[in-house]
Amino acid sequence: AVEKKAELGRAGWTLIHTTAATLPTPLTPAARDGVVALLRAVAQTYPCKECREHFASFIAVHPIDIESRDSILQWTCIAHNAVNARQHKPAYPCGDIKALDARWGDCGC
Amino acid sequence: AVEKKAELGRAGWTLIHTTAATLPTPLTPAARDGVVALLRAVAQTYPCKECREHFASFIAVHPIDIESRDSILQWTCIAHNAVNARQHKPAYPCGDIKALDARWGDCGC
Ligand SMILES: Cc1cc2nc3c(=O)[nH]c(=O)nc-3n(C[C@H](O)[C@H](O)[C@H](O)COP(=O)(O)OP(=O)(O)OC[C@H]3O[C@@H](n4cnc5c(N)ncnc54)[C@H](O)[C@@H]3O)c2cc1C
Ligand SMILES: Cc1cc2nc3c(=O)[nH]c(=O)nc-3n(C[C@H](O)[C@H](O)[C@H](O)COP(=O)(O)OP(=O)(O)OC[C@H]3O[C@@H](n4cnc5c(N)ncnc54)[C@H](O)[C@@H]3O)c2cc1C
């Protein structure tokens, strides 16, 4: 059961970070609205109740930074770090766009 | 790159099917609206362009069956089977709610 929760978490972050990393630059209004809708829908529907409530509070306190592709990708990283901190895991270097791109920028598609 | 595309696909389906399988019964309007928003956001933002266009067309031709938790879970199964068919993979038994629940109903959370 613990393994299922972790697997779902990895799936959620894979979809979220890859979606953010592959947004167009310059960002279009449609792409921006789409990713905001995705993040809000995850905050509303993510199967783990404690997780989605944390994520919804995070969005409420730290509005999604929709300035650019980079800022949205960094926002998803900071949101993930908030969970890492609760799990006593190391923080990811969210200031390092190259690291984020190397990890999440290739969707193979 | 092909492996990245498959990994993203598994992540996307894991989030989608687990979200559908863990909807409340009886379904509430908020849960129903949330999952519809999630599916539409995926159709709008999924990183693989060909995939999201196929998925958006699928939704347009086969409206999401929002009757109940079971019907939404089965709808996600049928949508996934449309991709399986394009990939010449076997169809999943979408009529078998017990099989779907055994595969996706436990989020460990
Ligand atoms: C929206 C959401 C909310 C969640 N809330 C909770 C919660 O409240 N409690 C709970 O127990 N679990 C929560 N989870 C699950 C949790 O975050 C992990 O996914 C799960 O514990 C599995 O952890 P992991 O160590 O395998 O790697 P994950 O944390 O899933 O990370 C996967 C990979 O992402 C990369 N990565 C790590 N940190 C970052 C970052 N900051 N930015 C970008 N990439 C990064 C690394 O390469 C890592 O291997 C949540 C998941 C999601 C999607
Ligand atoms: C919305 C979306 C659209 C996609 N569109 C395309 C596309 O157009 N072209 C493309 O090449 N790839 C597409 N993909 C990716 C593709 O569906 C696979 O995820 C990917 O090819 C990896 O396949 P896989 O064999 O590892 O397992 P997946 O097909 O990812 O399946 C993962 C697991 O789900 C279970 N499963 C299988 N079928 C079903 C079902 N019908 N219902 C419920 N559970 C099932 C099985 O246990 C399986 O092991 C899409 C993914 C998503 C999320």
Side-chain angles (χ1 to χ4, degrees), chain A residues 1 4-5 8 11 14-15 18-19 22 30 34-35 37-38 41 44-48 103 106-109, chain B residues 1 4-5 8 11 14-15 18-19 22 30 34-35 37-38 41 44-48 103 106-109:
Chain A
K4 284 279 181 186
K5 188 176 177 182
L8 177 66
T14 296
L15 184 66
T18 309
T19 299
T22 56
V35 71
L38 179 72
Q44 209 180 338
T45 64
Y46 191 74
C48 152
R103 178 67 179 88
D106 173 19
C107 61
C109 55
Chain B
K4 284 279 181 188
K5 189 177 177 182
L8 177 66
T14 296
L15 184 67
T18 309
T19 299
T22 57
V35 71
L38 179 71
Q44 209 178 336
T45 65
Y46 192 75
C48 152
R103 178 66 179 90
D106 172 19
C107 62
C109 56

Side-chain angles (χ1 to χ4, degrees), chain A residues 2-17 39 42-43 46 48-56 73-84 86-87 89-94 99-100 103-104, chain B residues 15:
Chain A
V2 166
E3 197 30 57
K4 284 279 181 186
K5 188 176 177 182
E7 198 183 309
L8 177 66
R10 284 188 290 270
W13 291 122
T14 296
L15 184 66
I16 288 171
H17 296 311
L39 294 167
V42 169
Y46 191 74
C48 152
K49 184 166 186 279
E50 167 214 357
C51 307
R52 79 170 169 263
E53 287 176 353
H54 272 302
F55 191 58
L73 177 57
Q74 288 180 313
W75 184 93
T76 67
C77 182
I78 296 165
H80 191 164
N81 270 346
V83 184
N84 289 342
R86 281 204 303 282
Q87 299 187 320
K89 286 186 206 161
Y92 207 83
C94 300
L100 283 171
R103 178 67 179 88
W104 298 112
Chain B
L15 184 67

Side-chain angles (χ1 to χ4, degrees), chain B residues 32-45:
Chain B
R32 182 197 62 207
D33 292 353
V35 71
V36 167
L38 179 71
L39 294 167
R40 289 200 183 136
V42 169
Q44 209 178 336
T45 65

Side-chain angles (χ1 to χ4, degrees), chain A residues 23-40:
Chain A
L23 288 168
T25 295
L27 190 58
T28 61
R32 183 196 61 208
D33 293 352
V35 71
V36 168
L38 179 72
L39 294 167
R40 290 200 183 136

